[in-house]
Amino acid sequence: MNQPHIDIPVRAPSATSADDTILPFEIGALDLRGRVVRLGAAVDAILAGHSYPQPVAKLLGEAITLAVMLGTSLKFEGRFILQTQSDGPVRMLVVDFRRPGQVRACARFDKARVAELVGNGKASAANLLGQGHLAMTIDQGADMNRYQGLVALNGGSLEDAAHEYFKSSEQIPTRVRLAVAEEMSPRAGHRWRAGGLLLQFLPKAPERARVADLHPGDAPEGTPAHVVDEDDAWVEGRSMVSTVEDVELIDPALSSEQLVYRLFHERGVRVFNSVPVVAQCSCSRDSVEAMLKNFSQDDRDHMVENGQISVTCEFCSANYKFSPDEVGAAPDGEQKAARSSP
Ligand SMILES: [Zn+2]
């Protein structure tokens, strides 16, 4: 039989580590695909810009890493928004990722409750989040439908929530690793770094993608556990990911290519062009002005302080000031007339 002539260049993994990049890869022999994310200046700009308490910043860093990994898989231009809402001290995390690689993020939290957890040495991701949900929204623009996926936050980490989401909603065997750390150096001072790895099993035959249910914690005693023979390829991939240490995900001396090579070289791993990520907000004076003009006159009147309406962007802290007249112009004559009547 004639062998097809394919000419895929083979080379050693690059030792050059590049921060703020996403590296897609594939292990063809095992039907595995994945991405490695490495964040330096991008995650530092966002987290340092907010000056949140350390555990809140770390948690938001994990959410940023997860959103960047998932958002880059979108096949179209648009936005991917990852948002938590929960009853823990961190009420909300929002990460807004725009293709091809711009990200912004912020958190809402209860300062006193965070401080209490820190004081008790219990500021884990699970305790900070509490119970609630994680929503992932794909927004392709004004004329398109928004797609939203939801998963419960049940006292676990963001990694746990991502695993549950892919298992229950997408039925794709998926493993996610997230790591965030602070780097202190005499020369550069304090900097945040983050890294992540995503691995998915995407066999052509869907029946190979079955995974066992999580242990039914509240099932009556004696209920047999759900037993599924997981595909050998996925068992191998999953166990490789479980060996990844946090330090490997954030180490600037270990390139993303070296990491995937270290994990999967025995099976042959193929890498694709990496995608750059930058921290960038999408707010503008025009967009804030348009938003204010959509408010009712009454709402705008309540916003006036010292003769001005001041709006601060929650993502990047940019401040925009308007005179009431600038944003009070009614779209038609009606509201003006109503305003002048008693
Ligand atoms: Zn902004």
Side-chain angles (χ1 to χ4, degrees), residues 2-115:
N2 284 336
Q3 290 293 324
H5 180 76
I6 43 168
D7 206 11
I8 300 170
V10 174
R11 61 172 170 82
S14 163
T16 311
S17 186
D19 280 348
D20 301 329
T21 56
I22 303 136
L23 177 74
F25 64 88
E26 178 184 83
I27 301 110
L30 297 175
D31 292 318
L32 300 172
R33 280 171 172 259
R35 286 183 282 286
V36 177
V37 174
R38 219 20 108 70
L39 299 174
V43 75
D44 186 57
I46 297 172
L47 299 183
H50 285 301
S51 324
Y52 295 146
Q54 192 262 6
V56 178
K58 189 165 183 285
L59 186 60
L60 185 61
E62 288 181 11
I64 292 168
T65 309
L66 180 60
V68 165
M69 269 193 312
L70 301 180
T72 40
S73 67
L74 303 181
K75 296 283 181 284
F76 48 81
E77 296 307 306
R79 291 163 71 189
F80 174 81
I81 300 147
L82 185 148
Q83 182 168 350
T84 67
Q85 245 168 339
S86 54
D87 64 3
V90 176
R91 296 192 299 275
M92 194 170 92
L93 299 168
V94 187
V95 186
D96 176 3
F97 177 83
R98 275 159 297 139
R99 289 263 297 162
Q102 291 148 292
V103 64
R104 61 178 186 165
C106 64
R108 285 189 193 160
F109 59 97
D110 184 323
K111 222 173 171 172
R113 289 177 68 197
V114 171

Side-chain angles (χ1 to χ4, degrees), residues 2 53 74 109 156 171 215 225 243 274 278 281 292 302 304 310:
N2 284 336
L74 303 181
F109 59 97
Q171 270 115 44
H215 184 266
T243 67
S274 64
V278 290
C281 195
L292 288 172
H302 280 98
V304 178
S310 169

Side-chain angles (χ1 to χ4, degrees), residues 110-188:
D110 184 323
K111 222 173 171 172
R113 289 177 68 197
V114 171
E116 194 186 320
L117 279 186
V118 173
N120 297 334
K122 290 183 175 167
S124 65
N127 289 340
L128 288 165
L129 290 166
Q131 307 281 323
H133 67 259
L134 169 74
M136 290 175 269
T137 308
I138 294 169
D139 184 353
Q140 297 182 71
D143 307 328
M144 308 285 282
N145 286 332
R146 282 160 73 102
Y147 163 84
Q148 195 170 50
L150 271 183
V151 65
L153 288 169
N154 281 330
S157 65
L158 292 176
E159 282 179 7
D160 296 333
H163 293 155
E164 185 52 34
Y165 172 76
F166 280 103
K167 186 173 181 296
S168 55
S169 299
E170 308 270 335
Q171 270 115 44
I172 301 173
T174 301
R175 267 359 244 175
V176 169
R177 287 284 288 105
L178 305 168
V180 178
E182 293 165 278
E183 187 186 24
M184 318 272 190
S185 79
R187 196 165 48 85

Side-chain angles (χ1 to χ4, degrees), residues 283-302:
C283 70
S284 68
R285 189 174 172 85
D286 285 350
S287 64
V288 176
E289 187 176 328
M291 176 195 77
L292 288 172
K293 281 180 172 170
N294 273 327
F295 286 1
S296 70
Q297 183 63 44
D298 196 41
D299 285 344
R300 278 196 302 269
D301 287 346
H302 280 98

Side-chain angles (χ1 to χ4, degrees), residues 104 280-284 288 312-318 320:
R104 61 178 186 165
Q280 197 177 87
C281 195
S282 56
C283 70
S284 68
V288 176
T312 301
C313 174
E314 206 173 342
F315 288 101
C316 70
S317 307
Y320 301 96

